[in-house]
Amino acid sequence: MTASFRSSRYSTKKRVLVTGGAGFIGSHLCARLLEAGNQVLCVDNFFTGTRGNVSDLLDHPEFELMRHDVTIPLFVEVDEIYNLACPASPVHYQFDPVQTTKTSVVGAVNMLGLSKRLKVPILQASTSEVYGDPAIHPQTEDYWGNVNPIGPRSCYDEGKRCAETLFFDYRRQHGLAIKVIRIFNTYGPHMHPNDGRVVSNFIVQALQGEDITIYGDGKQTRSFCYVDDLVCGMMAMMASADDVTGPINLGNPGEFTMLELAQAVIELTGSSSKLVYRPLPQDDPRQRQPDISRARDQLGWDVSVPLREGLVKTIDYFRALIAQA
């Protein structure tokens, strides 16, 4: 689909909107888009995103930062839209669950409306949480999921599921060029130190010499994708043919137990931290692993950063962050 803004106005460069652009993943995406020669409009309400995440980009002549909440309509001129706006960790999305649902659902309506008006492609950052506590393993995009619609995690899980519904209905009804990806556990620099996610939790606890908290028996599994790999997949999805709509899983199919992750973090940090066990939170999935066959076939995308290599980079980031505190 041809972008009306770029083709008829001032620049031959694409102007790309990234909502949630000052967040963990969004900030890396903004940097990569700039490296690729684009103009970037970063929009964030700074609930979980921080100005510090994009501080290195503020002086870039093609970067613009705007404080805005996607639950309010946005009137800008752009050529592509990446919709990442939504708190993504339980600590943050459960803080104000009604607002979390509104961000996913009303935010999607507003961004889809912008895409419709401008006739430009839009990518939705959905999540592996749409699979809930999966009854099949690994998870393929054809699996409809096992989600509790009224639990404490539902504001995020069901909000993202509804956003996917809206994206495909807008395509069917209005012919929008949509792209939907489902992001599996991602980690790397710019993670919030208090976001409650397992990688940041373990690293911060280990670096501070605190006990490492294991929920449940520690045998539940996750698959961890380094943020650079994820961003490459997102950009490959946006560049794909119009008929590649997704949903497409993006994640690292390597599967690790929480105990294996904790032991790796202790080893790589040189920490003397001990493991302590707490009850498993309600609706916490027992296993999570993406089938990325579709991403490999349709996008030519695959992961390249092994877990230990990514952990070293993430540990270095948190070590520097803690030293500055």
Side-chain angles (χ1 to χ4, degrees):
M1 183 174 292
T2 301
S4 59
F5 172 64
R6 175 165 52 95
S7 62
S8 62
R9 291 180 173 86
Y10 321 106
S11 176
T12 57
K13 293 184 177 181
K14 285 190 295 186
R15 188 171 190 233
V16 183
L17 168 62
V18 181
T19 71
F24 158 46
I25 295 173
S27 58
H28 287 273
L29 175 61
C30 286
R32 189 69 64 85
L33 287 166
L34 289 170
E35 289 174 7
N38 300 290
Q39 298 173 348
V40 174
L41 172 58
C42 171
V43 168
D44 207 293
N45 69 351
F46 298 111
F47 175 61
T48 57
T50 68
R51 192 177 179 88
N53 283 344
V54 293
S55 59
D56 291 344
L57 309 179
L58 293 175
D59 291 332
H60 195 292
E62 305 292 0
F63 180 76
E64 181 181 354
L65 178 62
M66 176 189 298
R67 181 188 292 269
H68 183 84
D69 192 309
V70 295
T71 61
I72 301 169
L74 180 64
F75 300 97
V76 294
E77 303 292 331
V78 295
D79 301 301
E80 291 178 350
I81 303 168
Y82 288 82
N83 186 39
L84 279 64
C86 189
S89 70
V91 168
H92 291 139
Y93 66 64
Q94 291 173 354
F95 176 78
D96 188 344
V98 172
Q99 185 63 27
T100 296
T101 303
K102 289 172 65 177
T103 299
S104 287
V105 177
V106 180
V109 169
N110 287 333
M111 291 304 107
L112 286 162
L114 180 63
S115 169
K116 178 186 172 187
R117 178 177 70 83
L118 298 175
K119 298 181 174 62
V120 300
I122 180 169
L123 181 146
Q124 167 68 4
S126 191
T127 172
S128 61
E129 297 298 331
V130 301
Y131 298 122
D133 190 4
I136 68 166
H137 193 72
Q139 292 80 59
T140 65
E141 293 88 349
D142 295 329
Y143 176 52
W144 289 359
N146 177 34
V147 177
N148 177 0
I150 59 171
R153 300 170 67 101
S154 304
C155 59
Y156 185 68
D157 302 358
E158 294 288 34
K160 289 289 191 176
R161 285 165 68 94
C162 185
E164 288 195 14
T165 300
L166 286 163
F167 266 68
F168 281 91
D169 281 340
Y170 263 77
R171 178 171 178 81
R172 283 185 284 263
Q173 189 168 340
H174 302 295
L176 260 62
I178 66 161
K179 308 285 182 180
V180 176
I181 59 167
R182 291 174 177 166
I183 299 174
F184 282 68
N185 291 68
T186 303
Y187 70 101
H190 297 179
M191 294 184 79
H192 196 290
N194 300 314
D195 66 5
R197 297 189 222 193
V198 64
V199 172
S200 51
N201 270 4
F202 285 3
I203 291 175
V204 171
Q205 288 171 338
L207 289 174
Q208 295 181 334
E210 301 172 354
D211 291 337
I212 289 183
T213 306
I214 302 287
Y215 293 98
D217 59 11
K219 295 180 182 178
Q220 64 270 37
T221 66
R222 295 293 185 273
S223 302
F224 300 102
C225 182
Y226 190 65
V227 65
D228 287 357
D229 282 338
L230 176 69
V231 168
C232 286
M234 296 174 76
M235 293 177 65
M237 183 64 169
M238 181 62 88
S240 63
D242 282 355
D243 61 350
V244 179
T245 61
I248 286 184
N249 291 335
L250 293 182
N252 191 328
E255 188 178 13
F256 298 88
T257 67
M258 298 301 94
L259 287 173
E260 289 172 330
L261 176 66
Q263 290 160 359
V265 168
I266 288 172
E267 177 188 343
L268 293 171
T269 57
S271 175
S272 58
S273 295
K274 307 299 182 185
L275 304 183
V276 296
Y277 293 83
R278 298 285 185 266
L280 193 67
Q282 181 180 342
D283 298 330
D284 193 60
R286 293 291 306 177
Q287 55 187 7
R288 187 63 61 68
Q289 182 189 22
D291 182 314
I292 61 170
S293 301
R294 187 177 293 184
R296 286 168 171 155
D297 293 343
Q298 297 187 8
L299 306 180
W301 175 83
D302 209 337
V303 295
S304 62
V305 181
L307 179 63
R308 291 178 69 88
E309 178 183 333
L311 284 176
V312 169
K313 297 178 181 180
T314 310
I315 288 166
D316 288 345
Y317 169 77
F318 278 112
R319 183 176 279 118
L321 196 66
I322 291 170
Q324 295 170 4

